Every structure is written in structure tokens, then in C-alpha cells.
Amino acid sequence: MLDTLHATTLLHALSGLRLGHPIYLYMQVGSTNAEAKRLAAGGAPEGLLVIAEEQTAGQGRAGRHWHTPPHTALALSLVLRPTLAAAHGMRLVMLAGLAACEAIEQVTQLPVQLKWPNDVLVNGKKVGGILVESGLTGTTLDYAVVGLGLNVNFSPDPALVAFPATGLAAEAGHPIDRVRLLRALLARFEVHYPMLTTQPEQLHAAWAARLTLLHTPIVVHTATGATAGEAEGVDPAGQLLVRSTDGALLRVAAGDVRLRAVE
Ligand code: BTN
């Protein structure tokens, strides 16, 4: 029998949470982020959740496609309205990453790490990604859409992905209950949500402690080219601090990091 998301099951599973209401459940949609942005721009309240069984135009970072096959994945977008300067928007990526790690660990017992800036990893392979998009009023967030895609009961075809990827079921050795995972995700997100404004340093520290590929030879690819070096850490704005092999310190706001082979 197909494992299908049902509205009544979701309503029941998410009862008692502040986030995750109202729920817009689609059997098929282009992108949950695009749909959530449309609803947020039209005045949707904080906590609104868009979730889809299948995305036909799922969006990844840097214009990449995000694959969401039906009955096997979690693809969701949460509308938030935090009182936050746009310059602090990366804190939402930190929060989503932390919530994803804790929820996956709680439900699967697998150890989870994050790869800067927005990848969720198990055993060094990507199981999920975060895409935060926002609407601004001046320099302040009007709304933010936190999108999260997780490979739950499937593993992506290696030919279709840019990085080594896997699924939670493959790593755990058994199928994972998507609804239980969804509830855990929203619950952990909700617990940490106040940190966005009240404890940003702690949020940053908890996120940074989960990051892989720090203090190890890497190549960072940005819009302007590739730099070989080592990541020394992340600054409070979430930028990667890279010491290049020629000794210069770079602050990288957006890019992709890969391990570098050293002779
Ligand atoms: C990445 O790793 O590049 C980010 C992937 C984010 C994918 C999720 S799936 C739910 C939400 N809707 C989208 O269109 N994208 C995000």
C-alpha cells in the first residue's frame, strides 16, 4: 500500500503545535516554497505550512532543481513573520538546520551533520536541503518562507544530484514514518524559534557545532571562482571564513564547499 499524506492524519499529528497551522496539503505542486511565498505575500499568517506529496518544480539553492518523488519524501515550506532585520536572515537557515538535525536524530537515531550553508548530511552524504526565501519591507523581513526537503524513504539517483546523496531509510536500514518526522521537525523548530531574537549567539554556536568540513582542506566555489583553503569557522552572519592557501582570509556569503585532495 502507498504511504500517502492525508489531511486528517496531519491535522491530528500536528495538534498542540503553534507552527504548522493552517496546513495546505498538495498531492502535487510545482514548488512548496513558491506556493508559500504566494500565500505569504497575500497576508498568510505565521505558522502556515505548505506540504506536498510531490513537487514538479522543486527549487534548490543556486537555481538547482530539487527532486521530490511522491510517497517517499518530505517537502515543506513554513511561513514565518519574525521581527528580524534582513541582514540576520541567515539565522533562519541556522534554525532550520538545527531543527532538522534534532528531529532526524530523535526519530531515526542517526547522527546528523550540516554542511555550510544549507545541506543536511548523514554519514557524509546529503539527505536534505534548506531554502529560505523572504519578502522585505525596507530592511526588515515582512515574511520568511523556510523550505525544507528531506529524502526520507528513497535515495536520489546519483546521476541527478551534484553531491553524494542518500536517504534516511537507506542509512537507518528501515522505513521512516514521515508524519512522525514532520511533527518532530516542527516541534524542534518551535522550541528554538525564540532564539532567533533572544539568543542569536547560542543559535549560531549550536549551528556551528554541527558543521562539517571545518579545519580541513576544501575548495569553495563561488560566483567569482574557486578558492582552495581551509574553513576556519563561520561569522555571526553565517558567512564562511576561509583561509586560502596563500594566507588571505575570505568571507564567503554564498557558495559550495567540497573536500580537497591534498598530495
Ligand atoms: C538545496 O539543497 O539546494 C535546498 C533544497 C530545498 C528544497 C526544498 S523542498 C521544499 C521547498 N520547496 C522548494 O521548492 N524547495 C524547498
Side-chain angles (χ1 to χ4, degrees):
M1 211 174 78
L2 286 179
D3 171 21
T4 302
L5 298 171
H6 291 287
T8 45
T9 315
L10 293 186
L11 273 173
H12 180 70
L14 302 186
S15 67
L17 293 177
R18 189 178 75 80
L19 301 177
H21 305 281
I23 305 173
Y24 282 63
L25 168 65
Y26 293 88
M27 283 302 108
Q28 190 187 66
V29 74
S31 151
T32 58
N33 261 34
E35 188 57 10
K37 276 191 295 180
R38 189 184 69 75
L39 292 163
E46 165 152 302
L48 181 143
L49 175 71
V50 179
I51 182 162
E53 190 62 86
E54 180 181 13
Q55 291 188 119
T56 54
Q59 296 163 4
R61 206 167 47 82
R64 297 189 188 110
H65 176 71
W66 185 261
H67 189 51
T68 307
H71 311 293
T72 58
L74 277 179
L76 60 102
S77 302
L78 197 56
V79 172
L80 299 169
R81 296 190 180 276
T83 306
L84 201 64
H88 296 148
M90 187 66 185
R91 288 183 198 167
L92 288 158
V93 176
M94 299 178 194
L95 186 60
L98 199 55
C101 288
E102 293 180 357
I104 294 168
E105 286 177 353
Q106 188 183 318
V107 172
T108 68
Q109 274 80 56
L110 291 165
V112 191
Q113 284 188 301
L114 298 169
K115 181 158 90 69
W116 184 89
N118 71 334
D119 291 352
V120 184
L121 307 187
V122 170
N123 296 327
K125 290 167 280 181
K126 182 162 174 168
V127 293
I130 296 157
L131 184 65
V132 175
E133 301 184 272
S134 44
L136 305 183
T137 302
T139 55
T140 307
L141 290 186
D142 174 25
Y143 66 82
V145 165
V146 174
L148 178 68
L150 286 178
N151 310 332
V152 185
N153 292 318
F154 81 104
S155 300
D157 178 346
L160 297 178
V161 290
F163 301 99
T166 187
L168 297 177
E171 298 304 310
H174 56 80
I176 306 298
D177 183 337
R178 290 186 296 161
V179 175
R180 209 178 136 217
L181 184 57
L182 172 66
R183 180 175 171 101
L185 271 168
L186 293 173
R188 296 318 297 163
F189 198 97
E190 195 167 299
V191 164
H192 293 308
Y193 191 49
M195 290 174 93
L196 267 188
T197 48
T198 62
Q199 296 178 301
E201 296 86 7
Q202 284 91 330
L203 173 61
H204 176 269
W207 175 67
R210 295 271 184 179
L211 288 176
T212 183
L213 298 189
L214 298 184
H215 312 293
T216 184
I218 54 159
V219 179
V220 59
H221 298 261
T222 67
T224 55
T227 306
E230 269 193 32
E232 294 187 340
V234 275
D235 73 8
Q239 299 182 104
L240 192 67
L241 302 172
V242 179
R243 180 73 60 186
S244 71
T245 47
D246 62 13
L249 186 65
L250 280 76
R251 266 172 211 274
V252 184
D256 287 311
V257 175
R258 290 163 205 258
L259 261 184
R260 173 167 57 95
V262 181
E263 319 263 296

